[in-house]
Amino acid sequence: MTHAIRIHETGGPEKLVWEAVSLPAPKAGEALVRHKAVGLNFIDVYFRTGLYKAPSLPAIIGMEGAGVVEAVGEGVTEVAVGDRVAYATAPIGAYAEARCIKADRLVKMPDGISFEQAAGMMLQGMTAAFLIKKCYPVQAGQTVLVHAAAGGVGLIMCQWLKHLGATVIGVVSTEEKAALARAHGAAHALLTKDDVPARVKEITGGAMLPVVFDSVGRDSFNVSLDCLAPFGMMVSYGNASGPVAIPDLGILAAKGSLFVTRPTLATYTAKREDLIGRAHDLFEVVGSGAVKIRVNQTFALKDAADAHRALEARQTTGSTVLLP
Ligand code: NDP
């Protein structure tokens, strides 16, 4: 047996229940990982509320963890007992003291990275990696906009984009978050209450932007389109304020032959070589010090409900880690 946070039905944070669950031996191709730290991500909220569907209920939610391999099933070659590993692209099930997981979703952690750092960066950091290196490869000298710039993905994006030589315009909800975004590489930090397209016009001398990275979704979609230059790319990668209904495609024509994509980390890391590639991209910028992982909140795993309340109330900045 082990302990885990499960949902028996979807709903508010109170649906997250700490309970004893069975822990089977690893099957062929699986490893049993004893978690040292578990990552909190906005996607956990979507599974808890039912915006994203768990395959069945009750379900252990959570996508990201770091720990030690305790046992392996038949045929496992990627990891061995005793390895320090982390993951972020497995099926849900991370909110547990230990779990079995497909070994080909595990990444060995470099020595210099702690379990807390790993649980605070794998999902958000590999997301930043695929967004700015694969989905829309950002070039030095470009000016780009990042929503929720003081959040988990946001703080990593600000630092990494600056490192690539881009000028970052961050958008956040408070002055405190604006200061944090600036301290992490945003050249400009706008507030959600500002006239964001007008400010972007001023900053770019009327040129507008080649790309916007939008994780807020419903509340920011139209604002983001209005910030783009002709042929610009709208990267809509999250729904913190609610999902975006697919608009009349004519809007893309009217606003200048725009492109829209709705990418996911899952697709961009479905092949193991891509998973390892994005993890190594991340380890490189963290290892060199170009990107610092800010674990600004930690909670006991059994108090995951409090962590969800803080995340949804926009009280967190940077990454949040749950400790088993
Ligand atoms: P964050 O730390 O960024 O937290 C979410 C932030 O969104 C808040 O802090 C808040 O920042 C902003 N926000 C805007 N509107 C709302 C709202 N109505 N309710 C709550 N927050 C709101 O979370 P993560 O770093 O974990 O994730 C960021 C986003 O990236 C999420 O939308 C997530 O789904 C997405 N994502 C997508 C992936 C993909 O594969 N497509 C992978 C990983 C993450 P502020 O107060 O400054 O507005």
Side-chain angles (χ1 to χ4, degrees), residues 52-72:
Y52 295 175
K53 301 278 175 261
S56 61
L57 293 175
I60 302 172
I61 62 167
M63 304 284 295
E64 179 178 36
V68 177
V69 175
E70 208 167 81
V72 292

Side-chain angles (χ1 to χ4, degrees), residues 45-136:
V45 172
Y46 307 147
F47 276 104
R48 195 206 70 222
T49 59
L51 178 64
Y52 295 175
K53 301 278 175 261
S56 61
L57 293 175
I60 302 172
I61 62 167
M63 304 284 295
E64 179 178 36
V68 177
V69 175
E70 208 167 81
V72 292
E74 210 182 299
V76 167
T77 54
E78 297 86 353
V79 294
V81 171
D83 281 350
R84 300 164 78 245
V85 293
Y87 65 88
T89 63
I92 56 171
Y95 282 17
E97 292 168 324
R99 72 176 294 189
C100 289
I101 184 169
K102 283 222 161 87
D104 68 3
R105 293 288 93 195
L106 294 172
V107 177
K108 289 190 200 173
M109 285 167 49
D111 286 343
I113 290 183
S114 71
F115 291 116
E116 269 190 39
Q117 261 185 318
M121 77 181 200
M122 291 303 287
L123 199 147
Q124 294 161 340
M126 289 198 295
T127 297
F130 94 74
L131 289 174
I132 66 182
K133 292 180 82 84
K134 295 289 169 184
C135 182
Y136 185 94

